[in-house]
Amino acid sequence: MLNKAAPSADHQGGRNPHDVLQSVFGYSAFRGEQEQIVRHVMEGGSALVLMPTGSGKSLCYQIPALCRDGVGIVVSPLIALMDDQVTALRQLGVRAAAIHSGLDSAVIRATKRRLRDGDLDLLYVAPERVLMEDFLNTLEEVEIALFAIDEAHCISQWGHDFRPEYRQLSALRERFPHVSCLAVTATADGPTRREIAERLKLPTVFTAGFDRPNIAYVVTPKENPRDQLVRFLKSRAAGESGIVYCLSRKRVEETAALLVREGFRALPYHAGLDSDVRAANQSRFLKEDGVIMVATVAFGMGINKPDVRFVAHMDLPKSIEAYYQETGRAGRDGLPATAWMVYGLADVVTLRQMIEASDAPDRQKRVERGKLDMFLSFCEAARCRRQTLLNHFGDSCEPCGNCDTCQVAPKTFDATVAAQKALSCVLRTGERFGAVYVIDVLLGRDDERMRRLGHHTLSTFGIGQEHSERAWRSILRQLVVHDLLQVDMDRHGGMRLTDEGRAFLKERRALQLRLDDRPAAKAKALSRVPKPAPELHSDADVELLRQLKAERTAIAREQGVPPYVIFHDRTLIEMANRRPTTLQEFGTITGVGQVKVERYGQRFLDLMGAA
């Protein structure tokens, strides 16, 4: 029986990590903590790795798997993620394969034969498959270089994307205790990290930070969300790829149809669509330029398209972790991208209803309510968005200058009297009405319903006319964030005072709130968000880049693969700038490994020589 001892650091199949980095992946140097992590695994160590999306987490297990004897077993949660990784690795000349439910039995049998014969460098497997007894028995018969568990936050019940089958992966550590194990994720707060490390018995944690400095964050209250989205998209460069997230399937369909009418190439994606339609839409998004995917959160994990220039949220995500992961799908190539979101009090009501209606135990519901409240605090924050976001993960930064609150500093005002008026109005109307009606009372809107209920005679009727309806919406939303008001889901979204709210009225505390008076300023901030202009020096370079992209697309269509697995945009930009004239020079371009020199070098050199 094999795998009773980890390979020693000097028994690695004769391959050096730096050589593999250059010759296979086309990079001249490791970034950040990559080298330290690779060395740790090469020496037989195991670890939890937290690195931001786009920072090269995969290399931390792919390179040791290629250097050490045996096969690297990568546990991955989604078919799309596995297929994308395998396609990209095969382009590099790596012997990679996957086993999942989307493959027919003949392919799976052939892959298992390759596994037993030692003919694979990396094998991607779904968690439920790797835990099957027959598969575990097969693993006992082969030499394993390492285990890698991708999207490791799925292990933790504290995580935003908890998956029960992931918790059972501790069986791998028990059955193969001497095989190195690397659990990697871009998204895990403190409790999630602790649970992953404990469950998988990982003695070491590498945290490479969470900042994605190329992403600009823009968050704004909902007014007319469809018009707001269209204005945002029309402010972007033409032909950009992006993702628009909506909470419901119906809203996905409506938003996609709206964008098509507005002249955008938009496609819907949600679990209610026919599987063939979903697959076709996803394929178009991956393989074509300038496609906007309008989707529920069923779309995204496993999508490794590097040139997504924006992620837009039409509805509030359920937590900071979910928001961080979803926005992290933008700008994976390191070029500028934007995370844009609109939100309103109705989003809060909907998400809290979903939490309360779920079958989760009370302890889990409390966790989810707390995560939602923390995210609302992020939305209403008056300081740098990036600082607020990173602080949640125990990270820090200086004010970034690349978010809406940095570009247009929010004003605050003494909201003590306004809060007293709002809370008194909720109390005097019986704590059973929603925000719209409470605002009508505050503004003194006299109608048949108001008179029938007798609320036109209340002392709070018309006492709020110093603020606009829009301002009162902001005030009520912030009072919910500050836990002075609560939206009662059992009473159709009626607002009621919390214990804190009652204490606030009694003790007459002071309160500062954010002044929501910035529509024009926000529009200017949006216009100043950096556009992803490539670092090119002349019109001739821009034209050459266009030709290089066209050549890349032609090759991708010939092979039936996404263009980015041939070369990333950043690689083509470097080609256009440097214009190599020999295969040797071509091989020094970032992202060009030896196999790609052999496959594509002359074709691109001929194009650049003719330009």
Side-chain angles (χ1 to χ4, degrees):
M1 199 162 85
L2 298 175
N3 300 310
K4 287 304 180 186
S8 64
D10 60 355
H11 184 61
Q12 300 156 357
R15 306 193 78 180
N16 177 281
H18 285 91
D19 291 343
V20 171
L21 180 70
Q22 175 65 65
S23 65
V24 177
F25 296 95
Y27 299 113
S28 58
F30 285 106
R31 286 189 292 161
E33 293 194 310
Q34 283 178 334
E35 184 171 9
Q36 187 180 355
I37 297 166
V38 168
R39 187 185 306 119
H40 179 76
V41 178
M42 294 290 289
E43 293 170 353
S46 297
L48 167 62
V49 174
L50 296 105
M51 295 175 71
T53 302
S55 61
K57 292 187 300 297
S58 299
L59 290 179
C60 294
Y61 58 80
Q62 289 170 346
I63 288 179
L66 294 176
C67 290
R68 303 179 89 186
D69 290 337
V71 59
I73 304 296
V74 184
V75 181
S76 185
L78 285 180
I79 290 173
L81 182 58
M82 288 186 262
D83 288 346
D84 187 82
Q85 291 274 8
V86 168
T87 300
L89 286 166
R90 287 175 175 170
Q91 283 288 325
L92 300 170
V94 175
R95 300 177 301 171
I99 293 179
H100 56 66
S101 60
L103 300 170
D104 63 44
S105 57
V107 172
I108 292 174
R109 284 195 302 272
T111 301
K112 284 185 174 180
R113 280 196 302 272
R114 293 184 66 193
L115 175 62
R116 292 190 188 96
D117 293 343
D119 190 33
L120 288 174
D121 299 312
L122 284 153
L123 177 64
Y124 287 75
V125 193
E128 57 274 11
R129 172 79 62 168
V130 80
L131 293 167
M132 289 180 178
E133 190 62 28
D134 70 321
F135 194 83
L136 290 170
N137 290 337
T138 300
L139 292 182
E140 294 274 13
E141 301 170 9
V142 304
E143 187 165 13
I144 302 175
L146 57 83
F147 287 115
I149 299 172
D150 206 1
E151 307 291 351
H153 57 271
C154 297
I155 290 171
S156 172
Q157 65 177 347
W158 297 90
H160 66 281
D161 202 10
F162 171 57
R163 300 192 178 202
E165 65 272 17
Y166 252 67
R167 291 177 71 82
Q168 299 169 33
L169 292 174
S170 56
L172 289 178
R173 298 288 284 148
E174 294 163 7
R175 192 148 174 173
F176 305 96
H178 301 294
V179 175
S180 295
C181 179
L182 211 59
V184 298
T185 180
T187 319
D189 58 9
T192 302
R193 294 176 222 178
R194 288 191 290 272
E195 185 172 354
I196 296 169
E198 289 169 8
R199 186 160 289 276
L200 294 178
K201 297 181 176 62
L202 301 173
T204 305
V205 178
F206 291 96
T207 303
F210 292 87
D211 191 15
R212 296 285 308 283
N214 61 311
I215 297 180
Y217 296 99
V218 178
V219 181
T220 190
K222 279 185 181 178
E223 294 171 354
N224 187 324
R226 292 183 179 184
D227 287 351
Q228 288 172 285
L229 175 65
V230 170
R231 286 198 301 272
F232 166 69
L233 294 180
K234 288 186 175 179
S235 75
R236 310 292 301 174
E240 291 184 340
S241 295
I243 305 172
V244 177
Y245 282 116
C246 302
L247 196 58
S248 70
R249 297 174 184 181
K250 180 182 178 184
R251 192 165 297 172
V252 164
E253 297 279 1
E254 292 173 346
T255 304
L258 166 70
L259 296 185
V260 169
R261 290 196 300 273
E262 292 288 340
F264 297 99
R265 297 173 63 209
L267 299 170
Y269 187 102
H270 58 74
L273 289 172
D274 180 82
S275 59
D276 290 340
V277 174
R278 280 204 313 275
N281 287 356
Q282 177 171 297
S283 179
R284 284 192 61 191
F285 177 74
L286 293 175
K287 294 179 179 179
E288 298 178 19
D289 292 329
V291 173
I292 298 173
M293 188 68 90
V294 185
T296 60
V297 291
F299 178 81
M301 187 190 289
I303 299 303
N304 197 32
K305 185 177 171 68
D307 60 345
V308 174
R309 297 271 62 89
F310 63 85
V311 170
H313 281 90
M314 294 290 281
D315 300 294
L316 203 65
K318 61 184 179 180
S319 67
I320 290 181
E321 291 87 353
Y323 173 78
Y324 178 82
Q325 188 181 57
E326 289 158 19
T327 56
R329 288 157 193 156
R332 293 188 177 205
D333 55 8
L335 296 173
T338 301
W340 178 91
M341 180 173 69
V342 290
Y343 74 103
L345 189 57
D347 295 333
V348 183
V349 175
T350 300
L351 286 173
R352 286 188 173 159
Q353 284 175 331
M354 291 170 65
I355 292 170
E356 300 308 320
S358 73
D359 295 328
D362 289 342
R363 179 170 176 266
Q364 182 66 19
K365 287 182 180 180
R366 285 197 299 274
V367 170
E368 291 178 4
R369 284 194 294 267
K371 286 180 178 289
L372 176 58
D373 289 343
M374 282 188 281
F375 187 46
L376 288 169
S377 298
F378 163 80
C379 294
E380 295 291 352
R383 68 170 184 159
C384 170
R385 300 273 184 210
R386 196 177 311 275
Q387 285 185 319
T388 306
L389 190 63
L390 296 183
N391 283 356
H392 177 75
F393 294 106
D395 204 352
S396 63
C397 70
E398 296 297 317
C400 70
N402 195 26
C403 69
D404 57 337
T405 53
C406 280
Q407 292 182 358
V408 183
K411 299 175 184 176
T412 60
F413 73 107
D414 184 348
T416 306
V417 173
Q420 289 170 349
K421 289 179 178 181
L423 295 173
S424 295
C425 189
V426 170
L427 196 61
R428 292 180 184 279
T429 52
E431 297 183 279
R432 61 193 183 94
F433 295 95
V436 173
Y437 186 80
V438 170
I439 292 171
D440 283 347
V441 176
L442 287 166
L443 293 177
R445 289 173 172 165
D446 195 353
D447 58 19
E448 186 274 331
R449 184 189 186 196
M450 195 75 65
R451 289 187 169 273
R452 175 165 46 82
L453 294 171
H455 291 161
H456 65 297
T457 65
L458 294 176
S459 59
T460 53
F461 183 77
I463 62 167
Q465 296 184 19
E466 73 276 21
H467 296 294
S468 67
E469 178 180 348
R470 184 168 173 272
W472 276 118
R473 284 201 305 270
S474 174
I475 291 166
L476 290 175
R477 191 173 60 242
Q478 292 182 74
L479 293 180
V480 171
V481 170
H482 283 268
D483 197 33
L484 302 179
L485 278 178
Q486 194 172 59
V487 180
D488 191 342
M489 265 68 72
D490 294 330
R491 303 182 67 177
H492 308 290
M495 308 191 85
R496 61 184 178 85
L497 274 66
T498 63
D499 291 342
E500 281 291 311
R502 295 177 192 280
F504 177 89
L505 272 182
K506 183 178 179 179
E507 298 166 13
R508 298 183 178 275
R509 302 175 190 170
L511 179 67
Q512 289 282 320
L513 292 181
R514 176 174 170 152
L515 184 63
D516 189 15
D517 66 343
R518 307 180 307 136
K522 182 67 72 75
K524 289 181 182 177
L526 268 175
S527 68
R528 289 204 298 271
V529 169
K531 298 295 190 297
E535 309 94 347
L536 299 174
H537 307 302
S538 67
D539 291 344
D541 290 345
V542 172
E543 173 57 23
L544 177 56
L545 177 62
R546 187 194 65 76
Q547 294 176 29
L548 293 172
K549 285 185 174 182
E551 187 70 9
R552 177 185 62 177
T553 299
I555 294 171
R557 284 176 179 163
E558 290 168 11
Q559 300 184 22
V561 298
Y564 60 82
V565 304
I566 307 298
F567 290 121
H568 282 197
D569 281 0
R570 187 171 285 280
T571 299
L572 298 185
I573 291 168
E574 188 174 337
M575 283 185 206
N577 272 324
R578 290 179 52 189
R579 299 190 180 223
T581 58
T582 67
L583 288 175
Q584 185 175 359
E585 289 178 2
F586 188 79
T588 65
I589 299 289
T590 303
V592 180
Q594 187 57 42
V595 170
K596 291 194 175 182
V597 172
E598 295 167 1
R599 288 182 179 174
Y600 310 124
Q602 196 58 53
R603 190 162 172 174
F604 278 87
L605 287 177
D606 290 345
L607 178 67
M608 287 182 279

